[in-house]
Structure formats: structure tokens, C-alpha cells
Amino acid sequence: MDVEKLFGTAVNEIERMLNTKTVVGDPITIEDNTLIPLISVGFGFGVGGGEGTDAGKCAGVGGGTGGGGGVKPVALIVINKDGVRVEPIKGGTASVLEKVAEIAGKAVAEKSASKKAD
């Protein structure tokens, strides 16, 4: 097994997966708020290979590659009429949904308050 080929394949896959959209998500618009998720990406991988012979037995060659990774939401960029702010997220996906719901709720409340004022 060609270890260099395995390594090259692993690196090419990692390069394919990692781009700016991996770390900065697609914008989400709710009412007059634009939310942009920021994501932490981590990964690791290993490649190995070897060969050997035994005096009375056959020769052997082997190789392998493996890896793993994960993504975690870390913040939301909130853009609205009041400006731009970064809202940190502490705890993963559930917290992202809570932040989105919180911002959406505020937007709806502000919109209905402004309609009442008109």
C-alpha cells in the first residue's frame, strides 16, 4: 500500500471540506435581522503503513488511514438597524436555536410595537 498516496488522498479530502463557508455559515434573515453563524471546526487524522517478512513465512505489506472531526457553533453575528454585534454561544446547537428564537422574538415584538405606535 502506498502511504504517500493515502496521505495525499486524506489531505485532499480535508482541503475539499474546509472552506470559508465551513467557518462562516450562510446568512439567515429573520424580519430585519441578518444572522451569520460562526463555527469552530476541528479535525485530526493519521496515516501509516509498513511491510515485513518472517524467515519461514510470507512477506506482508499493509497501510491505513483514519480521521475524525467535528463542528461546533461558537457565535452569531447579528446585523440589524441598530448595528452589528457578535452574540457568543455557550453550549452548542441547542444554544444556537435559543439565540435565533430570542432574536426572532425581539424582532417580532419590535415590529408589532412599531405598528401600534403608527
Side-chain angles (χ1 to χ4, degrees):
M1 175 103 346
D2 183 1
V3 175
E4 287 183 31
K5 186 175 179 180
L6 285 173
F7 182 75
T9 301
V11 169
N12 286 339
E13 277 301 302
I14 290 168
E15 287 178 344
R16 185 184 65 79
M17 291 184 325
L18 295 178
N19 59 49
T20 56
K21 284 194 172 192
T22 306
V23 180
V24 179
D26 291 328
I28 302 163
T29 302
I30 301 173
E31 296 292 327
D32 294 330
N33 294 282
T34 300
L35 311 175
I36 303 172
L38 299 179
I39 301 158
S40 172
V41 178
F43 66 91
F45 69 95
V47 176
E51 58 184 82
T53 56
D54 191 345
K57 300 181 181 179
C58 298
V61 177
T65 183
V71 295
K72 180 176 100 175
V74 293
L76 282 173
I77 299 173
V78 180
I79 305 168
N80 58 27
K81 64 179 176 25
D82 298 326
V84 178
R85 70 181 188 278
V86 176
E87 293 281 341
I89 297 169
K90 299 178 173 96
T93 306
S95 292
V96 170
L97 297 175
E98 289 169 5
K99 284 283 185 193
V100 169
E102 176 186 327
I103 291 165
K106 285 180 183 176
V108 170
E110 287 175 7
K111 191 168 191 170
S112 63
S114 69
K115 283 184 180 179
K116 287 180 183 177
D118 291 341

